[in-house]
Amino acid sequence: MRDALRRDDRVFLMGEDVGRYGGCFAVSLGLLEEFGPERIRDTPLSEAAFVGAGIGAAIAGMRPIVEIMTVNFSLLALDQILNNAATLRHMSGGQVGVPLVIRMTTGAGRQLAAQHSHSLEGWYAHIPGLKILAPATLEDARGMLWTALEDPDPVLIFEHGSLYNDRGTIAADAGPVEIGHAALRRPGSDVTLVCYGGTLPATMAAAATLAAQGVDAEVVDLRTLRPLDEETIFASVRRTHRCVVVDEGWRSGSLSAEISARLVEQCFFDLDAPVERVCSAEVPMPYARHLEEAALPREETIVAAARRTVG
Amino acid sequence: MTTRADGAAPEDPRVGLLREMTRMRLFEERCVELYSAAKIRGFLHVGIGEEAVAVGVSAALAPADPVVSTYREHGHALARGVPMDSLMAEMYGRATGCSGGRGGSMHLFDADRRFYGGNAIVAGGLPLAIGLALADAMRGTGAVTTCFFGDGAYAEGEFHECANLAALWHLPVVLACENNLYAMGTAIERAQAETDLALRASSYGMAAWAVDGMDVVAVAEAARRAVDHVRGGGGPVFLELRTYRFRAHSMYDPERYRDKAEVERWRERDPIDALVARLLEEGALDEAALERIRADALAEVDRSVESAEAAPLEPVEELTRHVYAEQGGRS
């Protein structure tokens, strides 16, 4: 974000506690001192107003980054995201575009219980007019923001809370990354594991465990949930003939359901086993650590699902 | 004052307001007929009776001032200078419509004239307006955004979030509340604990006053004062425009919630008739000039219908355009 603010004076950050507080996950720490309160703009607790204000400012030529504290709070701004950001270009016959970036935290794993832990990015991926990103690596977290800011349409970036503590060094010449394609995080020949965002670490761990058991798993990180890069998924499944979809959303009506359906539509005769899905248990996320862990996709459940597909 | 080509006395500026209100009235009356004839579909909300608000407020705005409106926005669009042909074509869902046939009556857009809809979610346009004003403030353009909304929107959380934000950030915005006393079929006293809307708005720390929304001259003066206040750095203004719609909420509305006598009482205060009577009495207008205004507006409406009838439909192959920016497109 610092780079973006330096690069383009149309960019500004707006949200609850992004300034004085430094961001509730310390994402924007230090930005207020460097860029001042006009561009690092603390807002009242008014999600609909400040998300909508971001839309209006984008229409008028600015490049706002709006931060929503968690995905659950984004529901208070759903009217603005769905009824305005996603629709204005189409309803206006192409006249009014919304070059807006909305960032928010998603996912569970920090014992924050049912109103701070859900994975609703799949809902947003349902909506035409939006682009939905889910970075799982440091390079993507940085590069996707850059690309999103250059996009003429509203882009929502879902940052998994459990990834905020990842630290590492990014190449000095790292720049924007393309956002339309999934990435192969691990090549393999026996089964395709499809995942994104916060489920990448558990999926990679599962692939390592499977390798030790003689199962060579390929890991596809979706990166972008809308538009969905189905070609990369299909190509992988045509090689491995088996697929496990890992999605922290609930199984019913989820992104995993969409991927599974598309595989049945497009790759039915390539499949040697039913598509498996590893999702969150169908409960509001519980607080107690053992219950939360039991509700989430994790290495063991991914391994078990993959083993079922290879018989 | 404009000078007439024939060298006669300069025209009274109120005649211009009358001309605009007449265009709006005749356009909407024709829309009602076309709706009954099934030429126009969807929801159709006309503002017949509320012309003084659209025309009076718009008269105070500069071309660079953004406007955000509601689903009852034909008059706002017309007064903003959106060509009647493109509005009528949009009613018909034609490719030449101001939104390419994708918006219809409730979603009229004209980005070149900074007219940003046409929002069918009650209060949904308010945050947009706040953002437009924020952008203009950050860039120092001096533009003033106007947001039209109804008394129904006043009950929504989005209104209160935006009123707070506008005042807190001292944004250049006029919040133009068209109080027509009904949120669809719910009378204001059944929806608002305190029906003095300007009084409540002033509690946000912004200038707020109420105006007779049936008197176009009063509206234009109040709007001018509001825009001057905002442009001069005085912060946002809330304008409560007390008006009335003579017709039903929409073409589907059987109007069981109010009695005919009430509507008749308000019709006696018809903003067009009232202005005509005043201008004739003061000699600022004669019958011939009045007839010409009506004939010109009628001819313009006729032409817009003719061109809409003849306009092409958007090819179905174009259905999925304008969901995202086109290749290479930047907005």
Side-chain angles (χ1 to χ4, degrees), chain A residues 105-151:
Chain A
T105 314
T106 188
R110 291 161 296 148
Q111 288 191 262
L112 299 177
Q115 292 182 341
H116 280 70
S117 299
H118 289 146
S119 291
L120 304 181
E121 53 277 355
W123 289 8
Y124 287 99
H126 177 64
I127 302 168
L130 303 179
K131 293 183 182 174
I132 307 300
L133 310 184
T137 66
L138 294 169
E139 285 73 17
D140 274 355
R142 180 178 189 279
M144 280 180 166
L145 176 68
W146 190 318
T147 314
L149 280 166
E150 290 175 353
D151 199 285

Coordinates of all heavy atoms in Angstrom, one line a residue, chain A residues 105-151:
Chain A
T105 N -10.6 -8.8 5.9 CA -10.1 -10.0 6.5 C -11.2 -11.1 6.3 O -12.4 -10.8 6.5 CB -9.8 -9.8 7.9 OG1 -9.1 -8.6 8.1 CG2 -9.0 -11.0 8.5
T106 N -10.8 -12.3 6.1 CA -11.7 -13.4 6.1 C -11.2 -14.6 6.9 O -10.0 -14.6 7.2 CB -12.0 -13.8 4.6 OG1 -13.1 -14.7 4.6 CG2 -10.8 -14.4 4.0
G107 N -12.1 -15.5 7.1 CA -11.6 -16.8 7.7 C -11.5 -16.9 9.2 O -11.6 -15.9 9.9
A108 N -11.3 -18.2 9.6 CA -11.2 -18.5 11.0 C -9.8 -18.9 11.4 O -8.9 -18.8 10.6 CB -12.2 -19.6 11.3
G109 N -9.7 -19.4 12.6 CA -8.4 -19.9 13.1 C -7.8 -19.1 14.2 O -6.8 -19.4 14.7
R110 N -8.6 -18.1 14.7 CA -8.0 -17.3 15.8 C -9.0 -17.2 16.9 O -9.0 -16.3 17.7 CB -7.7 -15.9 15.2 CG -6.6 -15.8 14.2 CD -6.6 -14.6 13.4 NE -7.8 -14.6 12.6 CZ -8.4 -13.5 12.2 NH1 -8.0 -12.3 12.6 NH2 -9.5 -13.6 11.4
Q111 N -9.9 -18.2 17.0 CA -10.9 -18.3 18.1 C -11.7 -17.0 18.3 O -11.9 -16.5 19.4 CB -10.1 -18.6 19.4 CG -9.6 -20.0 19.5 CD -9.2 -20.4 20.9 OE1 -8.0 -20.4 21.2 NE2 -10.1 -20.8 21.8
L112 N -12.1 -16.4 17.2 CA -12.9 -15.2 17.3 C -14.4 -15.4 17.2 O -15.2 -14.5 17.1 CB -12.5 -14.2 16.1 CG -11.0 -13.8 16.2 CD1 -10.6 -12.9 15.0 CD2 -10.7 -13.1 17.5
A113 N -14.8 -16.7 17.2 CA -16.2 -17.1 17.2 C -17.0 -16.7 16.0 O -16.4 -16.2 15.0 CB -16.9 -16.6 18.5
A114 N -18.3 -16.8 16.1 CA -19.2 -16.8 14.9 C -19.4 -15.5 14.2 O -19.9 -15.5 13.0 CB -20.5 -17.4 15.2
Q115 N -19.0 -14.4 14.8 CA -19.3 -13.1 14.1 C -18.0 -12.5 13.5 O -18.0 -11.4 13.0 CB -20.1 -12.1 14.9 CG -21.5 -12.6 15.1 CD -22.3 -11.7 16.0 OE1 -21.8 -10.9 16.7 NE2 -23.6 -11.9 15.9
H116 N -16.9 -13.2 13.7 CA -15.6 -12.7 13.1 C -14.8 -13.7 12.4 O -13.6 -13.5 12.2 CB -14.7 -12.1 14.3 CG -15.1 -10.8 14.8 ND1 -16.3 -10.5 15.4 CD2 -14.5 -9.6 14.7 CE1 -16.3 -9.2 15.8 NE2 -15.2 -8.6 15.3
S117 N -15.4 -14.8 12.0 CA -14.5 -15.9 11.5 C -15.0 -16.5 10.2 O -14.5 -17.6 9.8 CB -14.5 -17.0 12.6 OG -14.0 -16.5 13.8
H118 N -16.0 -16.0 9.6 CA -16.5 -16.7 8.4 C -15.8 -16.5 7.1 O -15.0 -15.5 7.0 CB -18.0 -16.4 8.3 CG -18.8 -17.1 9.4 ND1 -19.9 -16.5 10.0 CD2 -18.6 -18.2 10.1 CE1 -20.4 -17.3 11.0 NE2 -19.6 -18.3 11.1
S119 N -16.0 -17.3 6.2 CA -15.4 -17.3 4.9 C -16.5 -17.0 3.9 O -17.1 -18.0 3.4 CB -14.7 -18.5 4.6 OG -13.5 -18.6 5.4
L120 N -16.8 -15.8 3.6 CA -18.0 -15.5 2.7 C -17.5 -15.0 1.3 O -18.3 -14.6 0.5 CB -18.8 -14.4 3.3 CG -19.3 -14.7 4.8 CD1 -20.2 -13.6 5.3 CD2 -20.1 -16.0 4.8
E121 N -16.2 -15.2 1.0 CA -15.8 -14.7 -0.3 C -16.5 -15.5 -1.5 O -16.7 -14.9 -2.5 CB -14.2 -14.9 -0.5 CG -13.7 -16.2 -0.1 CD -13.4 -16.4 1.4 OE1 -13.7 -15.5 2.2 OE2 -13.1 -17.6 1.8
G122 N -16.9 -16.7 -1.2 CA -17.6 -17.5 -2.2 C -19.0 -16.8 -2.6 O -19.4 -16.8 -3.7
W123 N -19.6 -16.1 -1.6 CA -20.8 -15.4 -1.9 C -20.5 -14.3 -2.8 O -21.2 -14.0 -3.8 CB -21.4 -14.7 -0.6 CG -22.0 -15.6 0.4 CD1 -22.0 -17.0 0.4 CD2 -22.7 -15.2 1.6 NE1 -22.6 -17.4 1.6 CE2 -23.1 -16.4 2.3 CE3 -23.0 -13.9 2.1 CZ2 -23.8 -16.3 3.5 CZ3 -23.7 -13.9 3.3 CH2 -24.1 -15.0 4.0
Y124 N -19.4 -13.5 -2.6 CA -19.1 -12.4 -3.4 C -18.7 -12.9 -4.8 O -19.0 -12.2 -5.8 CB -18.0 -11.6 -2.8 CG -18.5 -10.8 -1.6 CD1 -18.3 -11.2 -0.3 CD2 -19.2 -9.6 -1.8 CE1 -18.8 -10.5 0.8 CE2 -19.7 -8.8 -0.7 CZ -19.4 -9.3 0.6 OH -19.9 -8.6 1.6
A125 N -18.1 -14.1 -4.9 CA -17.7 -14.6 -6.2 C -18.9 -15.0 -7.0 O -18.8 -15.2 -8.2 CB -16.8 -15.8 -6.0
H126 N -20.1 -15.0 -6.4 CA -21.3 -15.2 -7.2 C -21.8 -14.0 -8.0 O -22.6 -14.2 -8.9 CB -22.4 -15.5 -6.1 CG -23.8 -15.7 -6.7 ND1 -24.1 -16.8 -7.5 CD2 -25.0 -15.0 -6.5 CE1 -25.4 -16.7 -7.8 NE2 -25.9 -15.7 -7.2
I127 N -21.2 -12.9 -7.8 CA -21.8 -11.6 -8.3 C -21.0 -11.1 -9.5 O -19.9 -10.7 -9.4 CB -21.7 -10.5 -7.2 CG1 -22.5 -11.0 -6.0 CG2 -22.3 -9.2 -7.7 CD1 -22.3 -10.1 -4.7
P128 N -21.7 -11.1 -10.7 CA -21.1 -10.5 -11.9 C -20.8 -9.0 -11.6 O -21.6 -8.3 -11.0 CB -22.1 -10.7 -13.0 CG -23.2 -11.6 -12.4 CD -23.1 -11.5 -10.9
G129 N -19.7 -8.5 -12.2 CA -19.4 -7.1 -12.0 C -18.3 -6.9 -11.0 O -17.6 -5.9 -11.0
L130 N -18.1 -7.9 -10.1 CA -17.0 -7.9 -9.1 C -15.9 -8.8 -9.6 O -16.1 -9.8 -10.3 CB -17.5 -8.3 -7.8 CG -18.7 -7.6 -7.1 CD1 -19.0 -8.2 -5.8 CD2 -18.4 -6.1 -7.0
K131 N -14.6 -8.5 -9.1 CA -13.5 -9.4 -9.2 C -13.1 -9.8 -7.8 O -13.0 -8.9 -7.0 CB -12.4 -8.8 -10.0 CG -12.7 -8.5 -11.5 CD -11.6 -8.0 -12.3 CE -12.1 -7.7 -13.7 NZ -11.0 -7.0 -14.5
I132 N -12.9 -11.0 -7.6 CA -12.7 -11.5 -6.2 C -11.3 -12.2 -6.2 O -11.0 -13.2 -6.8 CB -13.8 -12.5 -5.8 CG1 -15.2 -11.9 -6.0 CG2 -13.5 -13.0 -4.4 CD1 -15.4 -10.7 -5.2
L133 N -10.4 -11.6 -5.3 CA -9.1 -12.2 -5.2 C -8.9 -12.7 -3.8 O -9.4 -12.2 -2.8 CB -8.0 -11.1 -5.4 CG -8.2 -10.2 -6.7 CD1 -7.0 -9.2 -6.8 CD2 -8.3 -11.1 -7.9
A134 N -8.0 -13.8 -3.7 CA -7.7 -14.4 -2.4 C -6.2 -14.7 -2.4 O -5.8 -15.8 -2.8 CB -8.6 -15.6 -2.2
P135 N -5.4 -13.8 -2.0 CA -3.9 -14.1 -2.0 C -3.6 -15.1 -0.9 O -4.1 -15.0 0.2 CB -3.3 -12.7 -1.7 CG -4.4 -11.9 -1.1 CD -5.7 -12.4 -1.6
A136 N -2.7 -16.0 -1.3 CA -2.2 -16.9 -0.3 C -0.7 -16.8 0.0 O -0.2 -17.5 0.9 CB -2.5 -18.3 -0.8
T137 N 0.0 -16.0 -0.8 CA 1.4 -15.9 -0.6 C 1.8 -14.4 -0.5 O 1.0 -13.5 -0.8 CB 2.2 -16.4 -1.9 OG1 1.9 -15.6 -3.0 CG2 1.8 -17.8 -2.2
L138 N 3.0 -14.2 0.0 CA 3.4 -12.8 0.2 C 3.5 -12.0 -1.1 O 3.1 -10.9 -1.2 CB 4.8 -12.8 0.9 CG 4.8 -13.3 2.3 CD1 6.3 -13.5 2.8 CD2 4.1 -12.3 3.2
E139 N 4.0 -12.7 -2.2 CA 4.1 -12.1 -3.5 C 2.7 -11.7 -4.0 O 2.5 -10.6 -4.5 CB 4.7 -13.0 -4.5 CG 6.2 -13.2 -4.4 CD 6.6 -14.1 -3.2 OE1 5.7 -14.8 -2.6 OE2 7.8 -14.0 -2.7
D140 N 1.7 -12.6 -3.8 CA 0.4 -12.3 -4.2 C -0.3 -11.1 -3.4 O -1.0 -10.3 -3.9 CB -0.5 -13.5 -4.2 CG -0.4 -14.3 -5.5 OD1 0.3 -13.9 -6.4 OD2 -1.0 -15.4 -5.6
A141 N 0.0 -11.2 -2.1 CA -0.6 -10.2 -1.2 C -0.2 -8.8 -1.7 O -0.9 -7.8 -1.7 CB -0.2 -10.4 0.2
R142 N 1.1 -8.7 -2.1 CA 1.6 -7.4 -2.5 C 1.2 -7.1 -4.0 O 0.7 -6.0 -4.3 CB 3.1 -7.4 -2.3 CG 3.8 -6.1 -2.8 CD 5.3 -6.1 -2.5 NE 5.9 -4.9 -2.7 CZ 6.2 -4.4 -3.9 NH1 5.9 -5.0 -5.0 NH2 6.8 -3.2 -4.0
G143 N 1.5 -8.1 -4.8 CA 1.3 -7.8 -6.2 C -0.1 -7.7 -6.7 O -0.4 -6.9 -7.6
M144 N -1.0 -8.4 -6.0 CA -2.4 -8.3 -6.4 C -3.0 -7.0 -6.1 O -3.9 -6.5 -6.8 CB -3.2 -9.4 -5.6 CG -3.1 -10.8 -6.2 SD -4.1 -11.9 -5.2 CE -4.2 -13.3 -6.4
L145 N -2.6 -6.3 -5.0 CA -3.1 -5.0 -4.7 C -2.7 -4.0 -5.8 O -3.5 -3.2 -6.2 CB -2.5 -4.5 -3.3 CG -2.9 -3.1 -3.0 CD1 -4.4 -3.0 -2.7 CD2 -2.1 -2.6 -1.8
W146 N -1.5 -4.1 -6.3 CA -1.0 -3.3 -7.3 C -1.8 -3.5 -8.6 O -2.3 -2.5 -9.2 CB 0.5 -3.7 -7.6 CG 1.3 -2.8 -8.5 CD1 0.8 -2.3 -9.7 CD2 2.6 -2.4 -8.4 NE1 1.8 -1.5 -10.3 CE2 2.9 -1.6 -9.5 CE3 3.6 -2.7 -7.5 CZ2 4.2 -1.1 -9.7 CZ3 4.9 -2.1 -7.7 CH2 5.2 -1.3 -8.8
T147 N -2.1 -4.7 -9.0 CA -2.9 -5.0 -10.1 C -4.3 -4.5 -9.9 O -4.9 -4.0 -10.8 CB -2.9 -6.5 -10.4 OG1 -1.5 -7.0 -10.3 CG2 -3.4 -6.8 -11.8
A148 N -4.8 -4.8 -8.7 CA -6.2 -4.4 -8.5 C -6.4 -2.9 -8.6 O -7.4 -2.4 -9.1 CB -6.6 -4.8 -7.1
L149 N -5.4 -2.1 -8.2 CA -5.5 -0.7 -8.3 C -5.5 -0.2 -9.7 O -6.0 0.9 -10.0 CB -4.4 0.0 -7.5 CG -4.6 0.1 -6.0 CD1 -3.3 0.4 -5.3 CD2 -5.7 1.1 -5.7
E150 N -4.9 -1.0 -10.6 CA -4.9 -0.6 -12.0 C -6.1 -1.1 -12.8 O -6.3 -0.9 -13.9 CB -3.6 -1.1 -12.7 CG -2.4 -0.4 -12.2 CD -1.1 -0.9 -12.7 OE1 -1.1 -2.0 -13.3 OE2 -0.1 -0.3 -12.4
D151 N -7.0 -1.9 -12.1 CA -8.1 -2.5 -12.7 C -9.3 -1.5 -12.8 O -9.5 -0.7 -11.8 CB -8.6 -3.7 -11.9 CG -9.4 -4.6 -12.8 OD1 -10.6 -4.3 -13.0 OD2 -8.9 -5.7 -13.2

